[in-house]
Amino acid sequence: MSTVTVKEAKTYPLWKVALSLLLSVTVFTGAGNFLGTRFFWSDLDLRRIEKEIAYYQQLTDAEPLEPEHRVNLGYTYLRRGDYGRALIQLRAAVEIDDTYMPAYLNAGYVYQAMELWDEALENFQKVTELAPDDYRGYFNMGICYMYLGMENYALDMFFTAKALRPGASDVAYYTGMTLERMGEYKAAMEEYEEALSFNPKYREAQAALNRLSRMVN
């Protein structure tokens, strides 16, 4: 349990309340994985991120034993590419509540971004234990297994994720990537086509499908 003490509550301007609602939705209902997302921030974007960090830091200072604030702060550090500070906040959230699933999910995203697959896998495994009906834990375990060269395990995770979240284009895409690594090109093409049927603007899936079409035909 964290030894930090609760400070006197603070008041927040209306714009900060609105920002909190918006960002919480982004953190907890966003894409199923962080890997592959590369941010190219303009100066204006960076200023906004710094404002978000300051805001979540203020919330954390006011309510240091609220794990949601620390997860939001950690995720914002992740978006800035500050993985060390992100992990500090996410580990603190786990110390406060070791059953708080979003802390493990976002820690997994940080380790994915760092390409530390074993550490990421451990956190996503915890996600599946705490939230067995949430496809993101299985999906991201599959990504880790794929990059660890354990393709059969990856496919098992992806098929579980598909059963929990039919229509998830990312799951189909990474299933295709795994099959392509295994040399199962026609099966991979079917997965890429499935991803495009869910999201016709999925550029990576279209590029992969085009590449394999030239190889197979």
Side-chain angles (χ1 to χ4, degrees):
M1 179 61 68
S2 174
T3 59
V4 291
T5 58
V6 180
K7 296 183 180 180
E8 182 180 357
K10 301 178 182 178
T11 59
Y12 305 97
L14 183 59
W15 72 267
K16 289 190 174 183
V17 175
L19 178 64
S20 175
L21 293 174
L22 175 62
L23 295 176
S24 293
V25 170
T26 300
V27 171
F28 294 111
T29 64
N33 70 300
F34 187 88
L35 184 68
T37 302
R38 294 293 180 262
F39 296 110
F40 299 93
W41 302 121
S42 67
D43 289 341
L44 178 60
D45 292 327
L46 289 171
R47 287 196 295 271
R48 286 173 176 168
I49 291 175
E50 292 302 324
K51 184 178 289 187
E52 292 171 20
I53 288 173
Y55 169 68
Y56 284 129
Q57 185 64 64
Q58 186 178 11
L59 286 182
T60 300
D61 291 342
E63 297 180 302
L65 299 183
E66 175 50 64
E68 180 179 351
H69 299 332
R70 293 188 178 274
V71 169
N72 286 334
L73 180 57
Y75 180 76
T76 309
Y77 275 128
L78 168 60
R79 290 168 57 215
R80 194 176 73 176
D82 194 337
Y83 304 140
R85 285 189 171 89
L87 288 174
I88 288 172
Q89 295 302 324
L90 296 168
R91 288 167 181 162
V94 170
E95 289 182 9
I96 293 166
D97 182 356
D98 62 4
T99 67
Y100 192 62
M101 183 275 285
Y104 297 99
L105 179 66
N106 285 276
Y109 292 159
V110 176
Y111 287 122
Q112 275 188 339
M114 298 171 71
E115 299 186 2
L116 296 175
W117 308 115
D118 289 320
E119 290 83 350
L121 186 63
E122 182 179 352
N123 280 273
F124 293 129
Q125 173 65 44
K126 190 67 176 180
V127 171
T128 66
E129 294 171 5
L130 294 172
D133 294 330
D134 192 320
Y135 85 104
R136 292 174 296 179
Y138 303 99
F139 171 41
N140 284 285
M141 284 184 67
I143 292 174
C144 296
Y145 280 132
M146 184 188 73
Y147 282 106
L148 287 168
M150 304 170 70
E151 286 85 1
N152 288 323
Y153 287 99
L155 290 177
D156 286 343
M157 294 297 103
F158 292 143
F159 292 145
T160 300
K162 280 190 174 191
L164 291 171
R165 183 68 178 269
S169 58
D170 278 352
V171 180
Y173 174 69
Y174 277 95
T175 304
M177 283 183 64
T178 303
L179 289 167
E180 184 175 351
R181 285 168 173 252
M182 298 171 72
E184 301 288 343
Y185 298 133
K186 290 187 177 180
M189 290 173 65
E190 291 177 358
E191 294 295 333
Y192 293 140
E193 289 172 348
E194 181 176 309
L196 286 166
S197 72
F198 300 142
N199 179 8
K201 296 182 179 180
Y202 203 144
R203 290 179 297 177
E204 293 85 354
Q206 186 65 65
L209 182 60
N210 292 344
R211 182 182 64 251
L212 288 187
S213 295
R214 290 192 295 269
M215 290 177 57
V216 172
N217 296 329

